[in-house]
Amino acid sequence: MNTYKLLTPGPLTTTDTVKREMLVDRCTWDEDYKAVTQKIRRQLLELGHVSEDDYTVVLMQGSGTFGVESVLNSVVGAQDKVLICSNGAYGERMTQMCQRAQINYSHYAQPYDQIPEAAQVARLLAEDPAITHVAMVHSETTSGILNDIQSVGKVVKDAGRVFLVDAMSSFGGVDIPVADWGIDFLVSSANKCIQGVPGFSFILCRRDQLLASEGKARTLSLDLLDQWKTMEKDGKWRFTSPTHVVLAFSRALDELLAEGGIAARHRRYVENNRLLVEKMRALGFSTYIDGAHQGPIITTFFYPAGVSFTFADFYQYIKERGYAIYPGKLTEAETFRIGNIGEIYPEDIEKLTGIIADFLAERKEAIA
Ligand SMILES: *Cc1c(COP(=O)(O)O)cnc(C)c1O
């Protein structure tokens, strides 16, 4: 059915059974359909290891960015200030959201190959009592680095602030005990590690913090609390829900559990990633992120030396042989990225790295 598999971190390669769910049209006020939304919300709480007493889930139309923007625009009020810790494009995007909505923020920017440090966050919070919220990305898909949200969450809680996490490309593929790590709002989306198709994001919210956001929202369509109030009644979405995507996501959640839950999916992704890095190193490629902070989701590689190389040529060569990879997103170095999430197995990594070996051999011959 697939013409090529996606080695991109969302949309990603989904199973045929997930895709098949989208062949049915559903009525948005039908009880069976609304029950699917409620089931999804319960399953997401379980994946986050949190109870319905303390946490609740809001599903929000749009891609992941809409979810992040919904949280920033809905919970950081006019009297509040958010500290944004960034080490990549997605962290920086949060500063753009604040600029657009005139949300008061300060920015702790790290180089893309280094993680935001908990000690530095603690210092910044001590220095500026006006800061009420801290926002940060878990898996920075820009580079593939995995940030230490557990340590940062601890200092945020110790300082009595609210913690917002973009766990877009990690939730479902990396275990996140949401309450234990002090996360008040966690955002992820349908088309990443849960392995659904694009169309909505979801937010795990601490109930008391969500309720405390009453009256703060700056937009109507992204109003998190308003969205929750409607959905909480009986599972009906506030505005048109992406019905086909919801059904596919429900199936994807069941398939995640059938695989053995987050632990099993994490093992598969880690093994994909380990094999990818090992094989690519053997071919002479080096990684942008060092071993300690490299996450299991996506890896950034430098362009190879000693061969004539353009990304377009490389991409086309690999695509013709069954896989789509990702361009780099760094400004300071020439890189490309290979994701290993989705319906991807070590056999795929073996095949891909075989294709890349052939590419290098052909291009070296061309030079010689
Ligand atoms: C994918 C992703 C997003 C959201 O991107 P969209 O294109 O809006 O889906 C946000 N943050 C991170 C870290 C991501 O990987």
Side-chain angles (χ1 to χ4, degrees):
M1 198 172 183
N2 282 316
T3 52
Y4 53 76
K5 288 190 186 180
L6 300 173
L7 299 172
T8 58
L12 37 64
T13 303
T14 56
T15 61
D16 289 346
T17 40
V18 162
K19 285 189 271 283
R20 215 170 285 143
E21 289 293 312
M22 295 186 286
L23 296 175
V24 184
D25 303 310
R26 290 283 175 183
C27 169
T28 53
W29 53 262
D30 180 79
E31 291 304 327
D32 296 343
Y33 176 70
K34 289 192 286 188
V36 173
T37 293
Q38 301 301 59
K39 164 207 172 264
I40 287 172
R41 294 175 66 216
R42 279 193 302 275
Q43 284 178 314
L44 290 172
L45 285 181
E46 277 168 32
L47 290 180
H49 308 284
V50 286
S51 80
E52 211 141 357
D53 296 335
D54 304 324
Y55 281 80
T56 188
V57 175
V58 184
L59 311 183
M60 182 63 75
Q61 293 93 334
S63 77
T65 304
F66 292 63
V68 176
E69 195 150 24
S70 167
V71 171
L72 285 171
N73 277 269
S74 302
V75 311
V76 185
Q79 312 304 321
D80 299 330
K81 180 175 182 181
V82 57
L83 169 66
I84 294 167
C85 311
S86 78
N87 59 338
Y90 293 100
E92 286 167 6
R93 187 175 293 172
M94 293 199 264
T95 68
Q96 291 176 309
M97 291 173 188
C98 289
Q99 286 162 19
R100 285 296 167 93
Q102 299 186 326
I103 296 168
N104 201 6
Y105 76 97
S106 58
H107 188 191
Y108 163 34
Q110 280 285 63
Y112 285 16
D113 59 350
Q114 289 170 38
I115 61 169
E117 296 289 346
Q120 180 62 14
V121 174
R123 219 169 296 134
L124 293 166
L125 293 180
E127 279 168 19
D128 188 352
I131 295 170
T132 49
H133 297 70
V134 176
M136 138 175 201
V137 173
H138 185 209
S139 166
E140 234 319 340
T141 321
T142 310
S143 64
I145 200 167
L146 192 67
N147 290 330
D148 185 2
I149 52 170
Q150 184 180 6
S151 299
V152 173
K154 174 141 194 352
V155 305
V156 172
K157 289 296 104 176
D158 286 349
R161 319 296 170 88
V162 180
F163 194 29
L164 321 176
V165 172
D166 167 349
M168 208 69 67
S169 67
S170 54
F171 189 80
V174 178
D175 198 35
I176 306 175
V178 175
D180 294 351
W181 288 7
I183 302 167
D184 298 288
F185 295 90
L186 177 145
V187 189
S188 186
S189 73
N191 59 282
K192 304 242 169 151
C193 296
I194 312 269
Q195 299 188 180
V197 303
F200 69 88
S201 61
F202 56 86
I203 303 108
L204 277 70
C205 315
R206 257 190 71 119
R207 271 178 192 270
D208 53 359
Q209 288 299 334
L210 177 65
L211 294 172
S213 71
E214 182 80 55
K216 290 184 178 178
R218 291 169 174 79
T219 77
L220 179 72
S221 60
L222 295 177
D223 186 329
L224 189 65
L225 181 60
D226 216 27
Q227 180 88 349
W228 176 78
K229 282 179 181 167
T230 305
M231 193 168 274
E232 181 72 356
K233 273 184 222 138
D234 63 354
K236 177 123 179 12
W237 292 51
R238 198 173 41 143
F239 307 126
T240 300
S241 71
T243 50
H244 303 82
V245 180
V246 169
L247 292 173
F249 188 71
S250 174
R251 172 81 196 193
L253 276 168
D254 295 344
E255 292 184 3
L256 168 59
L257 298 179
E259 184 174 344
I262 292 175
R265 185 153 293 178
H266 182 253
R267 275 195 300 279
R268 175 162 65 86
Y269 289 172
V270 165
E271 178 54 17
N272 284 347
N273 194 261
R274 188 200 61 75
L275 189 64
L276 174 69
V277 170
E278 176 191 291
K279 297 260 169 194
M280 291 293 281
R281 288 217 170 106
L283 292 173
F285 289 93
S286 54
T287 60
Y288 173 69
I289 300 297
D290 70 26
H293 296 304
Q294 173 63 54
I297 307 299
I298 184 169
T299 308
T300 300
F301 296 97
F302 290 107
Y303 283 9
V307 285
S308 74
F309 186 92
T310 65
F311 179 78
D313 178 32
F314 188 54
Y315 177 84
Q316 193 57 33
Y317 187 94
I318 296 171
K319 184 180 150 189
E320 280 163 10
R321 289 158 182 79
Y323 294 94
I325 65 163
Y326 227 36
K329 209 176 165 85
L330 304 179
T331 45
E332 84 270 20
E334 299 239 89
T335 57
F336 61 89
R337 291 176 293 169
I338 298 177
N340 52 256
I341 61 176
E343 201 56 11
I344 297 297
Y345 293 85
E347 306 88 86
D348 293 298
I349 304 299
E350 297 276 1
K351 273 190 216 159
L352 169 79
T353 49
I355 294 164
I356 293 175
D358 292 343
F359 172 89
L360 291 177
E362 287 180 25
R363 294 304 180 277
K364 273 177 191 150
E365 269 168 35
I367 288 178

mmCIF file of all heavy atoms in Angstrom, residues 9 63-66 68 90 93 137 139-141 166 168-169 189 191-192, ligand 1:
data_model
loop_
_atom_site.group_PDB
_atom_site.id
_atom_site.type_symbol
_atom_site.label_atom_id
_atom_site.label_comp_id
_atom_site.label_asym_id
_atom_site.label_seq_id
_atom_site.Cartn_x
_atom_site.Cartn_y
_atom_site.Cartn_z
ATOM 1 N N PRO A 9 9.730 12.584 11.483
ATOM 2 C CA PRO A 9 9.108 12.468 12.809
ATOM 3 C C PRO A 9 7.683 13.008 12.839
ATOM 4 O O PRO A 9 7.340 13.824 13.673
ATOM 5 C CB PRO A 9 10.041 13.291 13.684
ATOM 6 C CG PRO A 9 10.562 14.339 12.772
ATOM 7 C CD PRO A 9 10.595 13.751 11.397
ATOM 8 N N SER A 63 -2.571 20.984 14.097
ATOM 9 C CA SER A 63 -1.321 20.246 14.308
ATOM 10 C C SER A 63 -0.774 20.566 15.700
ATOM 11 O O SER A 63 -1.389 21.313 16.476
ATOM 12 C CB SER A 63 -0.311 20.604 13.225
ATOM 13 O OG SER A 63 0.262 21.873 13.485
ATOM 14 N N GLY A 64 0.389 20.023 15.999
ATOM 15 C CA GLY A 64 0.977 20.195 17.317
ATOM 16 C C GLY A 64 1.177 21.646 17.729
ATOM 17 O O GLY A 64 0.966 22.016 18.889
ATOM 18 N N THR A 65 1.552 22.476 16.788
ATOM 19 C CA THR A 65 1.788 23.885 17.077
ATOM 20 C C THR A 65 0.532 24.547 17.646
ATOM 21 O O THR A 65 0.613 25.382 18.558
ATOM 22 C CB THR A 65 2.240 24.613 15.791
ATOM 23 O OG1 THR A 65 3.403 23.939 15.293
ATOM 24 C CG2 THR A 65 2.565 26.072 16.040
ATOM 25 N N PHE A 66 -0.636 24.143 17.113
ATOM 26 C CA PHE A 66 -1.900 24.703 17.614
ATOM 27 C C PHE A 66 -2.082 24.355 19.093
ATOM 28 O O PHE A 66 -2.613 25.157 19.870
ATOM 29 C CB PHE A 66 -3.092 24.154 16.814
ATOM 30 C CG PHE A 66 -3.147 24.611 15.383
ATOM 31 C CD1 PHE A 66 -2.145 24.276 14.480
ATOM 32 C CD2 PHE A 66 -4.218 25.361 14.923
ATOM 33 C CE1 PHE A 66 -2.208 24.680 13.149
ATOM 34 C CE2 PHE A 66 -4.292 25.765 13.597
ATOM 35 C CZ PHE A 66 -3.279 25.426 12.712
ATOM 36 N N VAL A 68 0.353 23.781 21.344
ATOM 37 C CA VAL A 68 1.281 24.592 22.146
ATOM 38 C C VAL A 68 0.752 26.017 22.249
ATOM 39 O O VAL A 68 0.733 26.625 23.333
ATOM 40 C CB VAL A 68 2.696 24.588 21.508
ATOM 41 C CG1 VAL A 68 3.635 25.499 22.283
ATOM 42 C CG2 VAL A 68 3.262 23.169 21.440
ATOM 43 N N TYR A 90 11.737 24.471 17.882
ATOM 44 C CA TYR A 90 10.407 24.362 18.500
ATOM 45 C C TYR A 90 10.325 25.162 19.795
ATOM 46 O O TYR A 90 9.282 25.737 20.107
ATOM 47 C CB TYR A 90 10.015 22.895 18.693
ATOM 48 C CG TYR A 90 9.812 22.214 17.363
ATOM 49 C CD1 TYR A 90 10.799 21.396 16.808
ATOM 50 C CD2 TYR A 90 8.649 22.436 16.630
ATOM 51 C CE1 TYR A 90 10.621 20.805 15.567
ATOM 52 C CE2 TYR A 90 8.460 21.850 15.388
ATOM 53 C CZ TYR A 90 9.452 21.031 14.862
ATOM 54 O OH TYR A 90 9.273 20.461 13.630
ATOM 55 N N ARG A 93 10.021 28.664 18.635
ATOM 56 C CA ARG A 93 8.667 28.952 18.131
ATOM 57 C C ARG A 93 7.768 29.447 19.270
ATOM 58 O O ARG A 93 6.877 30.274 19.053
ATOM 59 C CB ARG A 93 8.079 27.698 17.468
ATOM 60 C CG ARG A 93 6.760 27.953 16.767
ATOM 61 C CD ARG A 93 6.263 26.724 16.013
ATOM 62 N NE ARG A 93 7.106 26.382 14.887
ATOM 63 C CZ ARG A 93 6.973 25.268 14.158
ATOM 64 N NH1 ARG A 93 6.030 24.391 14.454
ATOM 65 N NH2 ARG A 93 7.783 25.022 13.145
ATOM 66 N N VAL A 137 10.681 22.262 25.681
ATOM 67 C CA VAL A 137 10.465 21.112 24.807
ATOM 68 C C VAL A 137 11.176 19.898 25.404
ATOM 69 O O VAL A 137 12.281 20.035 25.941
ATOM 70 C CB VAL A 137 11.025 21.407 23.396
ATOM 71 C CG1 VAL A 137 10.965 20.167 22.503
ATOM 72 C CG2 VAL A 137 10.271 22.565 22.740
ATOM 73 N N SER A 139 11.612 16.446 23.654
ATOM 74 C CA SER A 139 12.465 15.944 22.569
ATOM 75 C C SER A 139 12.519 17.034 21.508
ATOM 76 O O SER A 139 11.535 17.286 20.832
ATOM 77 C CB SER A 139 11.852 14.665 21.996
ATOM 78 O OG SER A 139 12.444 14.329 20.757
ATOM 79 N N GLU A 140 13.676 17.720 21.386
ATOM 80 C CA GLU A 140 13.806 18.805 20.406
ATOM 81 C C GLU A 140 14.058 18.175 19.044
ATOM 82 O O GLU A 140 15.165 17.740 18.733
ATOM 83 C CB GLU A 140 14.941 19.749 20.778
ATOM 84 C CG GLU A 140 14.605 21.226 20.875
ATOM 85 C CD GLU A 140 13.677 21.872 19.845
ATOM 86 O OE1 GLU A 140 13.497 21.324 18.731
ATOM 87 O OE2 GLU A 140 13.149 22.945 20.148
ATOM 88 N N THR A 141 13.009 18.124 18.249
ATOM 89 C CA THR A 141 13.048 17.440 16.968
ATOM 90 C C THR A 141 13.974 18.146 15.977
ATOM 91 O O THR A 141 14.391 17.558 14.983
ATOM 92 C CB THR A 141 11.603 17.344 16.429
ATOM 93 O OG1 THR A 141 10.735 17.071 17.536
ATOM 94 C CG2 THR A 141 11.458 16.249 15.423
ATOM 95 N N ASP A 166 6.293 20.791 25.954
ATOM 96 C CA ASP A 166 6.032 20.321 24.601
ATOM 97 C C ASP A 166 6.701 18.950 24.489
ATOM 98 O O ASP A 166 7.916 18.864 24.338
ATOM 99 C CB ASP A 166 6.618 21.327 23.581
ATOM 100 C CG ASP A 166 6.670 20.776 22.157
ATOM 101 O OD1 ASP A 166 6.468 19.566 21.953
ATOM 102 O OD2 ASP A 166 6.949 21.576 21.242
ATOM 103 N N MET A 168 5.864 16.806 22.208
ATOM 104 C CA MET A 168 5.268 16.433 20.927
ATOM 105 C C MET A 168 5.862 15.150 20.388
ATOM 106 O O MET A 168 5.150 14.220 20.063
ATOM 107 C CB MET A 168 5.507 17.566 19.922
ATOM 108 C CG MET A 168 4.473 17.665 18.859
ATOM 109 S SD MET A 168 2.901 18.196 19.523
ATOM 110 C CE MET A 168 3.256 19.864 20.041
ATOM 111 N N SER A 169 7.186 15.128 20.259
ATOM 112 C CA SER A 169 7.802 13.987 19.576
ATOM 113 C C SER A 169 8.328 12.943 20.549
ATOM 114 O O SER A 169 9.114 12.089 20.165
ATOM 115 C CB SER A 169 8.905 14.464 18.629
ATOM 116 O OG SER A 169 9.990 15.013 19.342
ATOM 117 N N SER A 189 0.849 15.378 19.955
ATOM 118 C CA SER A 189 -0.110 15.369 18.845
ATOM 119 C C SER A 189 -0.317 13.968 18.304
ATOM 120 O O SER A 189 0.429 13.040 18.602
ATOM 121 C CB SER A 189 0.313 16.330 17.740
ATOM 122 O OG SER A 189 1.406 15.806 17.035
ATOM 123 N N ASN A 191 0.029 12.571 15.443
ATOM 124 C CA ASN A 191 0.840 11.951 14.396
ATOM 125 C C ASN A 191 2.302 11.741 14.780
ATOM 126 O O ASN A 191 3.173 11.703 13.928
ATOM 127 C CB ASN A 191 0.762 12.807 13.122
ATOM 128 C CG ASN A 191 1.256 14.215 13.355
ATOM 129 O OD1 ASN A 191 0.535 15.026 13.922
ATOM 130 N ND2 ASN A 191 2.470 14.516 12.950
ATOM 131 N N LYS A 192 2.579 11.599 16.070
ATOM 132 C CA LYS A 192 3.975 11.314 16.453
ATOM 133 C C LYS A 192 4.025 9.920 17.085
ATOM 134 O O LYS A 192 3.604 8.983 16.434
ATOM 135 C CB LYS A 192 4.509 12.437 17.322
ATOM 136 C CG LYS A 192 4.379 13.810 16.614
ATOM 137 C CD LYS A 192 5.665 14.521 16.339
ATOM 138 C CE LYS A 192 5.426 15.701 15.411
ATOM 139 N NZ LYS A 192 6.367 16.786 15.588
HETATM 140 C C1 LIG B 1 6.215 18.158 15.538
HETATM 141 C C2 LIG B 1 6.563 19.064 16.637
HETATM 142 C C3 LIG B 1 5.778 20.188 16.961
HETATM 143 C C4 LIG B 1 4.541 20.575 16.210
HETATM 144 O O1 LIG B 1 4.743 20.728 14.877
HETATM 145 P P1 LIG B 1 3.497 20.744 13.899
HETATM 146 O O2 LIG B 1 4.135 20.897 12.560
HETATM 147 O O3 LIG B 1 2.635 21.872 14.266
HETATM 148 O O4 LIG B 1 2.796 19.443 14.105
HETATM 149 C C5 LIG B 1 6.126 20.938 18.057
HETATM 150 N N1 LIG B 1 7.186 20.626 18.794
HETATM 151 C C6 LIG B 1 7.959 19.565 18.527
HETATM 152 C C7 LIG B 1 9.131 19.280 19.403
HETATM 153 C C8 LIG B 1 7.686 18.749 17.435
HETATM 154 O O5 LIG B 1 8.451 17.690 17.160
#
